[in-house]
Amino acid sequence: MSDSTHAHRITESFNYLRRAPRARAGAALLIILAAWLLFFWRVFAPNVIDRVQFVPGDFTQQFLVFRSFAFDELKQGRLPLWLPCIDSGYPYQADPQSALFYPPALLNVGLNIAAGAQQFSIGALEVEAALHILLAAILLYGFLRGEVRRRSSAVLGALVFAFGGYLTGYPILQLAILESVTWLPLALWAARRLAARSDARSMVVLAAALALSVLAGHPQTYTYIFYLVAIYFVYRARREQVSWGRTIVRLAGAIGLALMLSAIQLVPSLEYMRLSTRAELSFTQAATGLPLADLLQVFVANVVSHFNPLYIGWLPLACAALAIAVYRKNSDTLFWSLIALAGVLISFGGNLAVFDGAYWLLPGYSVFRDQERNALIFSVAVSVLSAYGADAVLRSQARRVRQTLRTEARWLTLAVILSVVTLAIVSYLSSLGIDPTADRSVAQPVALALLASLATLIVWRIRSGRCARSGYLPIAMIMIVAIDLATANRSINWAPIGNPFPAQLPIEAIRSDMGLNEIFRVHNEQRLPGHSLCMNGLNEVGGITPILIGNYDRFIKTVPREVRWPLLNVRYVVTYRSVLDDHLGNPVDATLLSQQGEGQDAIYTYRLNQDHPRAWVVHTAEVKPDRSAIYAALAEPGFDPLRVAYTLAPVATAAATGIDQVSVTLIDPSRMTLDADLNSAGLLVVSEVNYPGWQATVNGNVLEIAEVDGLLRGLPLPGGHSHVEFVYRPPALIVGAVLTGLGLIVSLTLIILMKRRAAHA
């Protein structure tokens, strides 16, 4: 063999070794992609017969409505700031779940606009949700590559996190939760890197990951993420023997930069939360959580409730138990075990006394409901532990590992026997028509538990043998996990293909009756699907948004409906009432337009015959000490909203000397213009919710808006002609945008300085 040939072979061997890690990384990503396709292929199936879509609910009635509004406004070249068709108008961008400045959401809307779409479809939103599941799996795989030795172990842990019972349950329907969670693995990766290296790049990546979680729009979830990442960073920094002072400085720097980067959403949202119904939340309201019976769903999915956030599959559960038993003295295992325990205990909320401590000691826990969302903490911690355990199963043949495998195999044998017996019993009871589950299919999850535990037992028996080879086991373990989780979780959010907002008789009746360019609102007494009026271009006084402006909520609950209707420009009422009456039972002058159904399911649609304008003028303004006094005065018999107004500060008016004329000349979501002709000075009342950021001009002069009747906008006008303009320019958004811009400048500066320092090193 010549020297040149020998050198060539050495070079080829070196290149192969250099390329091999990339090939293995590519194979790992392909496996994750395959599992993702197994989970979601029916959502994107080319054959319509096979295709399904996400079930109606928050996904369609809230997040599809939000994205559709953003799509429509951006397509017309307007920034979507104020949403007029829900709750008589409310600050859309300030609601964190609007996720207006969340980059993937903006990209999704932008691509649909660029593609010439006429409307934002449910399919586009499903793609966004599914891709976030894939991204969550890939990012956790990247984090686990620094925790375990084998790529297959990291893949297994990533599948558990992405396709386990938590992330594929209600978070995928409540899109803000899913998208906030997606960036947690990247934040953990950056926190570990920052603790070890203390470099600017790691700090910027950590801040960016936390900021993306904030921009995705679920305050409760990103609060949990901030807590977990902070605790993990402190733990890693102490492991690296970083001093407390430097640990706090690094953590504060990363969090501070994250808050700056997300300030464009965070500052308006904080203002909104301060003024919302969430400002006053009792312990009972905050303490809702999983029932204790949900512990059963760690082992058997879908037997306690429709969703099973604690289910991770039998093989991952056995891996996690193995990791805890084998590596019980390892600090990483201990850390994630404690995190998993804390997450699952707090997720029970008030059903377990543990939550009381979190409610009083941890900022944020007293302003959020639905503590079952702490199952996120359990999910990610157990996913990491399962990767540790899989690494032990596949890598080591130490005596302790084999002994633990044999011990677990005995427990698994018992589980298989119990599953067989249970399956026989529930199958027999089902044949008699006895089944406690809502969908009468308890045998299905029990059978899945039997198959999953049996498959895990076989793997454990094979691996516990002295001469067992592990080369074929990784793919077998991954397949078991993927099939188990897909079987348990993928179909719970499926529904047949259909229009998420089908035609509704009341809406058709209103459309047939309404006049051209008529301005009005509809009062829907929980008879129509959430936000269906908004999706059909109609404005309503209600909605299903979980966070309301506080004084609007009090107004709706306190003021009688026959007073709310004229104040809120209500023209149509969709109700369960066969006779439309006021709160005292007196009939209201109205015309029945349609009736659908009978009895408790009946839906009646009425047109109110009395005209309720969008804007009017009063010449009597009375001062009340607070909103409570105003709401009490509005409820008094004989109150006429078109003649008297209540304010918190004096407003100059004069006695009426003739008929005033007010006309709305332009009404856009964030802008409204009116022309008013008054015979004497009066108070212009506009049936629009008053909120910080609305600015008004009269004949080009800026005037301060007066709050009228505890809710609406008002302006004192002189006699004669006035051109009035209302524009929504929230200062909180401007402040947030400036801070976000500064955050971007700081991030770029840190990266550039780091590159220059590396170049000069």
Side-chain angles (χ1 to χ4, degrees):
M1 180 184 300
S2 66
D3 291 342
S4 61
T5 303
H6 183 68
H8 176 73
R9 290 189 175 181
I10 292 176
T11 302
E12 286 296 311
S13 299
F14 175 79
N15 289 336
Y16 171 78
L17 292 174
R18 183 167 57 87
R19 291 193 302 266
R22 295 183 182 178
R24 289 195 293 271
L29 295 178
L30 285 175
I31 291 173
I32 292 174
L33 178 61
W36 179 78
L37 290 172
L38 175 65
F39 205 95
F40 285 108
W41 74 267
R42 288 199 63 187
V43 177
F44 310 117
N47 191 336
V48 178
I49 297 176
D50 297 328
R51 196 179 305 163
V52 293
Q53 68 184 34
F54 288 7
V55 296
D58 286 344
F59 188 81
T60 53
Q61 296 173 9
Q62 180 159 327
F63 293 101
L64 180 57
V65 172
F66 279 7
R67 287 287 194 279
S68 296
F69 174 67
F71 174 88
D72 293 340
E73 287 295 285
L74 290 171
K75 190 174 182 180
Q76 296 181 59
R78 298 192 297 249
L79 191 62
L81 300 178
W82 187 266
L83 181 59
C85 60
I86 295 172
D87 295 325
S88 302
Y90 90 117
Y92 168 80
Q93 187 273 321
D95 186 336
Q97 295 195 47
S98 70
L100 177 59
F101 297 106
Y102 179 56
L106 277 176
L107 178 63
N108 193 5
V109 171
L111 289 175
N112 277 270
I113 292 175
Q118 297 302 308
Q119 62 183 11
F120 192 83
S121 67
I122 184 175
L125 200 63
E126 288 171 338
V127 169
E128 183 179 324
L131 288 178
H132 273 78
I133 291 286
L134 178 62
L135 183 59
I138 293 172
L139 290 177
L140 190 68
Y141 167 78
F143 169 71
L144 290 175
R145 284 295 295 131
E147 297 288 314
V148 296
R149 294 188 180 183
R150 297 183 65 97
R151 293 183 185 274
S152 53
S153 303
V155 169
L156 187 144
L159 298 185
V160 173
F161 176 64
F163 303 109
Y166 179 76
L167 210 56
T168 58
Y170 51 81
I172 204 171
L173 300 179
Q174 298 182 5
L175 193 59
I177 299 179
L178 169 63
E179 296 185 340
S180 291
V181 170
T182 297
W183 304 102
L184 172 58
L186 180 60
L188 292 172
W189 177 87
R192 183 180 63 203
R193 180 185 171 104
L194 180 61
R197 300 188 182 187
S198 184
D199 62 315
R201 183 178 300 172
S202 299
M203 179 176 290
V204 170
V205 173
L206 175 56
L210 293 175
L212 284 167
S213 184
V214 173
L215 293 173
H218 199 262
Q220 184 175 13
T221 298
Y222 66 68
T223 297
Y224 298 160
I225 289 173
F226 270 72
Y227 273 125
L228 177 57
V229 171
I231 293 169
Y232 179 69
F233 174 76
V234 171
Y235 160 71
R236 294 295 305 194
R238 299 305 297 163
R239 263 196 58 178
E240 298 289 340
Q241 298 182 342
V242 179
S243 67
W244 277 109
R246 291 183 177 179
T247 298
I248 293 173
V249 168
R250 294 178 192 177
L251 180 61
I255 291 179
L257 184 56
L259 296 179
M260 290 180 67
L261 291 171
S262 58
I264 194 170
Q265 179 66 62
L266 194 59
V267 174
S269 293
L270 288 175
E271 178 184 60
Y272 182 51
M273 295 293 285
R274 179 177 60 83
L275 299 173
S276 76
T277 51
R278 295 298 175 89
E280 299 176 1
L281 202 66
S282 68
F283 174 80
T284 302
Q285 292 171 315
T288 55
L290 294 175
L292 292 176
D294 223 85
L295 279 172
L296 179 61
Q297 296 198 137
V298 174
F299 307 100
V300 185
N302 304 315
V303 292
V304 176
S305 58
H306 179 70
F307 298 114
N308 36 269
L310 301 182
Y311 187 75
I312 63 168
W314 274 86
L315 193 146
L317 189 64
C319 285
L322 180 72
I324 295 171
V326 172
Y327 301 133
R328 56 182 177 272
K329 295 183 180 180
N330 181 282
S331 60
D332 288 340
T333 305
L334 178 61
F335 173 83
W336 288 110
S337 299
L338 293 175
I339 291 296
L341 180 63
V344 73
L345 292 179
I346 298 177
S347 69
F348 293 113
N351 295 318
L352 203 63
V354 174
F355 173 71
D356 298 47
Y359 179 83
W360 288 108
L361 299 176
L362 299 179
Y365 274 83
S366 61
V367 298
F368 298 127
R369 301 175 299 180
D370 303 325
Q371 300 305 325
E372 63 266 19
R373 291 166 182 165
N374 281 277
L376 158 66
I377 308 300
F378 171 80
S379 176
V380 68
V382 175
S383 298
V384 175
L385 289 172
S386 67
Y388 289 162
D391 218 36
V393 171
L394 297 172
R395 182 175 59 85
S396 175
Q397 273 287 284
R399 179 181 299 178
R400 177 186 295 178
V401 174
R402 291 203 307 272
Q403 288 177 343
T404 306
L405 284 168
R406 289 167 183 162
T407 301
E408 287 195 3
R410 288 192 287 270
W411 284 104
L412 286 167
T413 301
L414 178 61
V416 169
I417 294 172
L418 288 175
S419 298
V420 170
V421 173
T422 304
L423 181 59
I425 293 173
V426 299
S427 297
Y428 174 69
L429 292 176
S430 294
S431 69
L432 300 178
I434 303 173
D435 192 328
T437 57
D439 55 2
R440 307 188 70 80
S441 61
V442 70
Q444 173 75 10
V446 173
L448 177 62
L450 169 61
L451 293 175
S453 59
L454 180 60
T456 306
L457 173 61
I458 293 172
V459 172
W460 260 228
R461 285 295 187 188
I462 292 174
R463 189 63 182 128
S464 61
R466 289 181 177 272
C467 299
R469 296 179 60 84
S470 61
Y472 59 89
L473 284 181
I475 192 65
M477 292 174 64
I478 289 171
M479 288 180 63
I480 291 171
V481 171
I483 293 172
D484 183 7
L485 296 179
T487 305
N489 299 319
R490 68 177 181 176
S491 62
I492 60 176
N493 289 323
W494 283 354
I497 288 290
N499 184 353
F501 291 95
Q504 302 285 336
L505 178 60
I507 294 176
E508 296 303 317
I510 292 171
R511 286 192 177 282
S512 298
D513 182 76
M514 61 185 279
L516 185 64
N517 298 323
E518 187 177 359
I519 301 173
F520 62 87
R521 292 193 181 97
V522 180
H523 182 198
N524 168 32
E525 292 191 311
Q526 305 300 318
R527 294 286 96 180
L528 296 174
H531 296 166
S532 58
L533 287 162
C534 184
M535 283 297 284
N536 282 275
L538 300 173
N539 297 334
E540 64 173 308
V541 301
I544 60 168
T545 50
I547 307 174
L548 300 176
I549 299 173
N551 60 316
Y552 184 79
D553 183 61
R554 290 191 293 274
F555 176 89
I556 293 295
K557 292 178 178 178
T558 306
V559 179
R561 56 181 175 269
E562 68 272 13
V563 178
R564 296 198 308 269
W565 290 339
L567 287 175
L568 295 179
N569 184 216
V570 173
R571 176 78 170 174
Y572 299 94
V573 179
V574 181
T575 180
Y576 57 88
R577 308 172 196 276
S578 58
V579 176
L580 194 62
D581 56 6
D582 62 18
H583 78 291
L584 297 176
N586 301 314
V588 173
D589 184 16
T591 300
L592 179 65
L593 299 181
S594 70
Q595 176 183 349
Q596 180 179 346
E598 299 288 344
Q600 294 181 345
D601 297 326
I603 304 176
Y604 300 91
T605 305
Y606 294 93
R607 181 188 67 243
L608 300 177
N609 292 329
Q610 183 179 357
D611 183 37
H612 299 153
R614 180 61 63 97
W616 62 95
V617 175
V618 298
H619 291 273
T620 302
E622 298 182 11
V623 177
K624 296 293 181 181
D626 52 39
R627 289 190 181 114
S628 297
I630 289 177
Y631 298 153
L634 294 177
E636 291 179 357
F639 168 72
D640 185 352
L642 300 182
R643 297 179 62 86
V644 180
Y646 298 110
T647 61
L648 297 174
V651 176
T653 60
T657 59
I659 299 176
D660 302 310
Q661 299 290 333
V662 179
S663 60
V664 177
T665 55
L666 174 69
I667 183 166
D668 284 334
S670 298
R671 184 168 175 256
M672 183 179 189
T673 62
L674 307 94
D675 285 324
D677 291 282
L678 279 63
N679 290 280
S680 59
L683 176 63
L684 173 68
V685 182
V686 183
S687 180
E688 297 286 346
V689 175
N690 191 36
Y691 187 83
W694 277 101
Q695 302 172 9
T697 59
V698 177
N699 297 326
N701 299 313
V702 177
L703 285 187
E704 183 178 354
I705 297 174
E707 183 182 284
V708 178
D709 294 333
L711 180 69
L712 306 178
R713 299 178 214 149
L715 282 176
L717 297 181
H721 178 77
S722 296
H723 178 72
V724 181
E725 182 175 15
F726 291 94
V727 179
Y728 185 55
R729 294 193 184 101
L733 175 61
I734 298 172
V735 171
V738 171
L739 289 174
T740 294
L742 291 174
L744 291 171
I745 293 172
V746 170
S747 300
L748 291 173
T749 301
L750 289 173
I751 293 173
I752 291 171
L753 290 176
M754 180 183 175
K755 287 185 176 180
R756 288 182 177 179
R757 184 179 300 176
H760 293 309

